[in-house]
């Protein structure tokens, strides 16, 4: 009897440990519902004047019980990261912000560190988010940086460029589609690129990896948009440069999983 009880207990423990492996996927047709909450904070001078304002978007998966991996990933790689970044940069900027306020006491003169996020695409296979980070520190030209997050809604894993493309298509995609698309944008917007901009593009594709890849891109209903932040391909005053590559007619370039 003792051996039987021990065997039953052992079997129960083994099954309990294995339960996470058999966790149910979200019901068919159910998508994550993502709520965006602004986290605004003011920093004041010793005299009580506002000298720094930080504002970032906190992402909350409202049906996190059905998408726990995605909720955890967004909390780790976005919410916690931006909370720390805003606090850290505000501390670094505080002395300069106080100095600016001494010379420019107007209510509207303060450092502004603002992050905004837009949901560009969502289905069962991919969540594509576009992030803009605006930084104004009293100078004539504010800085803007662009980030993107492309995630699997079920597993929470990052989707890299190699995941989005068909096997072995990275170089072809870069040379025969992205670079010509950039030339088209250059002509249409009458932009001035750096002489070595193609080398810059090559380097970004070479260094792309899972986590926070240097390549910025978003998935859409009709195509993929490659995004190059200000001062990447040309002078910062140009702003970001976007190159759009449509799915239609180029289906063999992309991973069938992500094409509807």
């Amino acid at each position: 009897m003792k051996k039987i009880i021990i065997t039953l207990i052992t079997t129960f423990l083994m099954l309990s440990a294995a339960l996470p492996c058999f966790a149910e996927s979200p019901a068919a047709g159910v998508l994550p519902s993502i709520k965006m909450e602004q986290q605004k904070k003011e920093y004041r001078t010793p005299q009580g004047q506002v000298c720094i304002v930080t504002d970032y978007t906190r992402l909350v998966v409202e049906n996190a019980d059905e998408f726990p991996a995605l909720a955890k990933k967004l909390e780790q790689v976005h919410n916690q990261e931006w909370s720390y970044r805003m606090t850290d940069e505000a501390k670094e900027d505080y002395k300069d912000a106080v100095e600016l306020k001494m010379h420019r006491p107007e209510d509207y003169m303060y450092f502004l560190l603002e992050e905004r996020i837009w949901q560009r695409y969502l289905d069962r296979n991919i969540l594509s988010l576009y992030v803009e980070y605006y930084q104004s520190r009293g100078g004539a030209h504010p800085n803007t940086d662009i980030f993107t997050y492309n995630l699997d809604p079920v597993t929470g894993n990052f989707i890299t460029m190699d995941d989005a493309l068909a096997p072995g298509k990275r170089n072809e995609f870069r040379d025969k589609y992205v670079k010509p698309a950039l030339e088209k944008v250059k002509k249409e917007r009458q932009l001035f690129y750096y002489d070595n901009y193609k080398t810059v593009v090559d380097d970004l594709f070479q260094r792309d990896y899972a986590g926070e890849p240097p390549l910025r891109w978003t998935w859409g209903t009709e195509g993929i948009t490659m995004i190059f932040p200000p001062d990447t391909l040309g002078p910062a005053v140009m702003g970001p440069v976007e190159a759009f590559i449509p799915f239609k007619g180029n289906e063999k370039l992309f991973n069938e999983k992500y094409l509807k």
Side-chain angles (χ1 to χ4, degrees):
M1 175 63 74
K2 186 176 180 179
K3 290 183 178 180
I4 294 175
I5 293 175
I6 292 174
T7 301
L8 289 173
I9 292 174
T10 302
T11 302
F12 173 77
L13 292 174
M14 292 176 64
L15 288 172
S16 297
L19 282 177
C21 299
F22 298 98
E24 293 185 4
S25 297
V30 176
L31 296 175
S33 176
I34 301 175
K35 182 180 180 181
M36 300 182 184
E37 300 177 343
Q38 292 307 125
Q39 306 294 305
K40 189 173 183 178
K41 185 175 180 180
E42 294 181 348
Y43 295 79
R44 296 177 178 269
T45 68
Q47 293 74 34
Q49 298 171 299
V50 175
C51 61
I52 300 177
V53 174
T54 63
D55 193 359
Y56 76 94
T57 308
R58 183 169 180 266
L59 299 174
V60 180
V61 181
E62 295 185 294
N63 50 347
D65 55 330
E66 295 188 84
F67 297 91
L70 178 63
K72 181 178 180 181
K73 178 70 80 171
L74 290 177
E75 180 63 27
Q76 291 176 338
V77 304
H78 182 270
N79 298 343
Q80 292 179 8
E81 177 64 26
W82 279 98
S83 176
Y84 170 80
R85 181 170 187 167
M86 289 295 188
T87 301
D88 189 56
E89 293 197 19
K91 288 180 179 178
E92 290 184 1
D93 289 343
Y94 183 74
K95 184 177 178 180
D96 291 337
V98 171
E99 182 73 17
L100 172 68
K101 205 64 179 178
M102 289 176 60
H103 299 284
R104 297 293 304 274
E106 300 93 340
D107 289 341
Y108 63 85
M109 284 303 298
Y110 52 77
F111 284 19
L112 175 60
L113 308 177
E114 183 179 63
E115 183 248 18
R116 287 288 185 270
I117 190 163
W118 291 267
Q119 181 176 296
R120 286 286 182 89
Y121 187 80
L122 174 63
D123 67 11
R124 293 282 293 187
N125 296 314
I126 184 169
L127 165 65
S128 195
L129 300 170
Y130 177 95
V131 179
E132 183 177 277
Y133 183 33
Y134 175 86
Q135 307 155 72
S136 176
R137 292 180 169 86
H141 301 289
N143 295 321
T144 302
D145 203 354
I146 307 296
F147 305 91
T148 58
Y149 298 97
N150 296 286
L151 300 161
D152 184 312
V154 177
T155 67
N157 294 332
F158 279 104
I159 297 172
T160 66
M161 181 57 63
D162 280 335
D163 296 327
L165 297 174
K169 292 293 185 178
R170 173 190 283 248
N171 292 342
E172 179 183 349
F173 177 69
R174 179 194 65 205
D175 295 334
K176 295 184 179 181
Y177 293 86
V178 176
K179 289 178 181 177
L182 287 174
E183 285 294 327
K184 180 180 178 182
V185 173
K186 179 182 178 183
K187 182 177 181 180
E188 291 176 346
R189 291 180 54 190
Q190 297 183 343
L191 301 177
F192 175 77
Y193 291 166
Y194 296 135
D195 291 339
N196 68 334
Y197 93 89
K198 291 183 179 180
T199 301
V200 172
V201 173
D202 291 341
D203 183 56
L204 291 172
F205 269 82
Q206 182 66 32
R207 294 188 294 112
D208 190 52
Y209 58 92
E212 290 189 12
L215 283 176
R216 273 79 157 173
W217 56 274
T218 55
W219 198 262
T221 56
E222 297 182 357
I224 188 171
T225 301
M226 304 300 301
I227 303 158
F228 300 87
D231 200 32
T232 302
L233 304 181
V237 293
M238 289 193 330
V241 178
E242 297 189 358
F244 177 75
I245 294 88
F247 296 140
K248 188 175 182 180
N250 301 314
E251 289 84 359
K252 292 184 179 180
L253 269 178
F254 301 98
N255 186 334
E256 292 181 358
K257 175 182 177 179
Y258 302 112
L259 294 177
K260 282 191 173 183

